[in-house]
Amino acid sequence: MEKEAKSQICVSRSFAVAPMMDWTDRHCRYLHRLLSRQTLLYTEMVTAPALVRGGAVHLLDFSPEEHPVALQLGGSDPEELAQAARLGEEAGYDEINLNCGCPSDRVQSGTFGAVLMRDPGLVAECVAAMRAAVSVEVTVKCRIGVDDQTPEEVLPEFLSRVGAAGCERFTIHARKAWLQGLSPKENRDIPPLDYELVQRMRGMFGGLHLSVNGGITSLDEAERFLEAGLDGVMVGRAAYHDPTAILAQADRRIFGAEGDSDPVEVARQMLPYIERHLSEGGKLGQVTRHMLGLFAGKPGARAWRRILSEGAHKPGAGPELVQEALGAVTGVAA
Ligand SMILES: Cc1cc2nc3c(=O)[nH]c(=O)nc-3n(C[C@H](O)[C@H](O)[C@H](O)COP(=O)(O)O)c2cc1C
């Protein structure tokens, strides 16, 4: 079973949906999994202190259908990260990823994210402690540098030191994070992208698996990066806003598997999941908010969005609302 999960990750690691706070929760990942069986999915970042000190292990809940799925951790204390990684492995995650890329202003919850680009020695310690605690793969998501750092110097040093601690797979968001003066949102757009630097790292670090992330908005682009020799591609916002465009053909085009998924079929397959969620006391909108982009750019997309976003929060709203919205897309009463 463990072997099977490992070999699935070896396939899936070439294409991933990025970890995104408030977005890639378990409902979102369930939807993405229906669109693509192979794409690697990441959780939102969960901080190690929340798990270890706060005991918030419910943050690890996920559906078995989501595999292969990686847990992203935030933190900078090796022992705490090791304990959090262990909890993640026990919960069944296929990979544990350390966040070294997120510029966060939530200082009270401790040091984590992009600021760790300044301390590759500490990241190496964290990775070594996490690897010693779990048998699933420990990976890192990072930037090319922060603030006034020189990426051409900092990134190879980071990959080399963290690689020496046993991390063999990195996802590189190909821009700096500017920790002073930019919001997290601005930090995803304003610092310029440097894909060529990531390509050069590919040439320098033959033994590492390197995925590129940042600003990739289509499967065509993803294919071009893979053809150019990158080991993997991670897509964030585009996969969330237009999941069908990024994921429905990914199994065939990226993984060489049969068959594209049909968003109408996927919406129908969400119905039993929604029923289950409601029967457990959940709310319709918690699931449907991730489905709004399913028909982006297609006829009926506006009505689909409108029906779901206006109706999902009304008392008693249930799967019939999704069926009604589907009627607007398919042109027939579903
Ligand atoms: C709403 C949102 C939340 C994010 N949360 C995380 C996070 O928890 N961990 C992380 O490593 N990156 C996070 N990111 C960054 C993405 O993983 C990704 O690196 C970034 O969006 C660039 O990729 P893209 O241009 O394909 O969106 C977040 C991005 C967005 C839009």
Side-chain angles (χ1 to χ4, degrees):
M1 173 69 191
E2 196 178 287
K3 227 175 184 178
E4 212 173 274
K6 272 191 183 150
S7 61
Q8 180 57 52
I9 282 268
C10 283
V11 175
S12 294
R13 63 191 183 176
S14 58
F15 192 62
V17 177
M20 290 179 281
M21 288 288 276
D22 297 328
W23 289 9
T24 53
D25 64 15
R26 58 184 299 185
H27 310 309
C28 176
R29 298 192 304 264
Y30 192 93
L31 173 76
H32 286 174
R33 178 58 68 227
L34 289 175
L35 284 161
S36 165
R37 285 188 318 273
Q38 311 258 15
T39 301
L40 180 56
L41 303 179
Y42 282 79
T43 65
E44 311 164 83
M45 178 182 69
V46 178
T47 69
L51 289 178
V52 175
R53 281 184 251 158
V57 282
H58 66 276
L59 295 174
L60 299 178
D61 291 348
F62 70 98
S63 305
E65 291 84 350
E66 291 171 38
H67 288 293
V69 58
L71 168 67
Q72 188 187 57
L73 291 176
S76 58
D77 179 83
E79 189 40 45
E80 198 165 53
L81 278 165
Q83 284 183 49
R86 204 174 295 121
L87 292 171
E89 181 175 55
E90 278 165 17
Y93 285 95
D94 302 300
E95 166 189 334
I96 311 290
N97 177 266
L98 178 62
N99 183 342
C100 298
C102 201
S104 179
D105 43 10
R106 289 187 303 161
V107 181
Q108 286 112 321
S109 52
T111 306
F112 62 85
V115 69
L116 292 173
M117 295 302 296
R118 290 197 179 283
D119 200 345
L122 177 58
V123 177
E125 270 181 58
C126 293
V127 161
M130 293 161 79
R131 287 189 75 240
V134 297
S135 62
V136 292
E137 193 175 2
V138 174
T139 64
V140 166
K141 179 167 178 277
C142 64
R143 294 264 180 159
I144 61 173
V146 294
D147 297 331
D148 56 356
Q149 286 183 325
T150 306
E152 290 73 11
E153 290 167 9
V154 163
L155 187 59
E157 156 96 1
F158 184 88
L159 295 177
S160 154
R161 292 186 66 178
V162 180
C167 178
E168 292 172 349
R169 178 149 55 96
F170 293 81
T171 300
I172 306 171
H173 184 176
R175 53 163 61 92
K176 275 184 171 183
W178 294 339
L179 301 174
Q180 303 294 327
L182 288 191
S183 69
K185 185 169 185 299
E186 288 169 327
N187 256 313
R188 288 177 212 126
D189 286 315
I190 294 179
L193 286 158
D194 189 349
Y195 295 134
E196 279 175 18
L197 178 63
V198 181
Q199 290 279 11
R200 287 205 294 282
M201 295 303 104
R202 173 59 291 140
M204 279 173 72
F205 292 93
L208 300 181
H209 185 284
L210 300 183
S211 293
V212 64
N213 167 244
I216 298 161
T217 56
S218 69
L219 261 191
D220 288 349
E221 272 176 83
E223 282 176 323
R224 282 199 291 274
F225 278 111
L226 294 172
E227 278 157 20
L230 262 308
D231 302 297
V233 174
M234 175 184 272
V235 180
R237 289 163 289 186
Y240 188 80
H241 293 306
D242 195 348
T244 302
I246 300 296
L247 295 173
Q249 299 180 354
D251 288 349
R252 175 173 54 83
R253 290 173 56 184
I254 305 282
F255 299 103
E258 302 248 313
D260 296 342
S261 56
D262 169 9
V264 172
E265 223 15 74
V266 165
R268 290 200 177 114
Q269 288 167 359
M270 287 301 287
L271 296 173
Y273 179 81
I274 288 172
E275 270 171 33
R276 205 158 64 235
H277 178 63
L278 296 180
S279 73
E280 289 163 0
K283 299 216 163 54
L284 180 66
Q286 292 168 330
V287 181
T288 53
R289 73 187 191 98
H290 303 300
M291 298 169 66
L292 298 177
L294 204 48
F295 299 101
K298 307 248 167 45
R302 281 176 67 154
W304 163 263
R305 289 185 77 96
R306 182 178 47 74
I307 293 168
L308 288 186
S309 42
E310 286 175 5
H313 300 284
K314 294 192 177 147
E320 332 62 67
L321 187 76
V322 178
Q323 278 173 312
E324 182 193 335
L326 257 184
V329 175
T330 58
V332 292

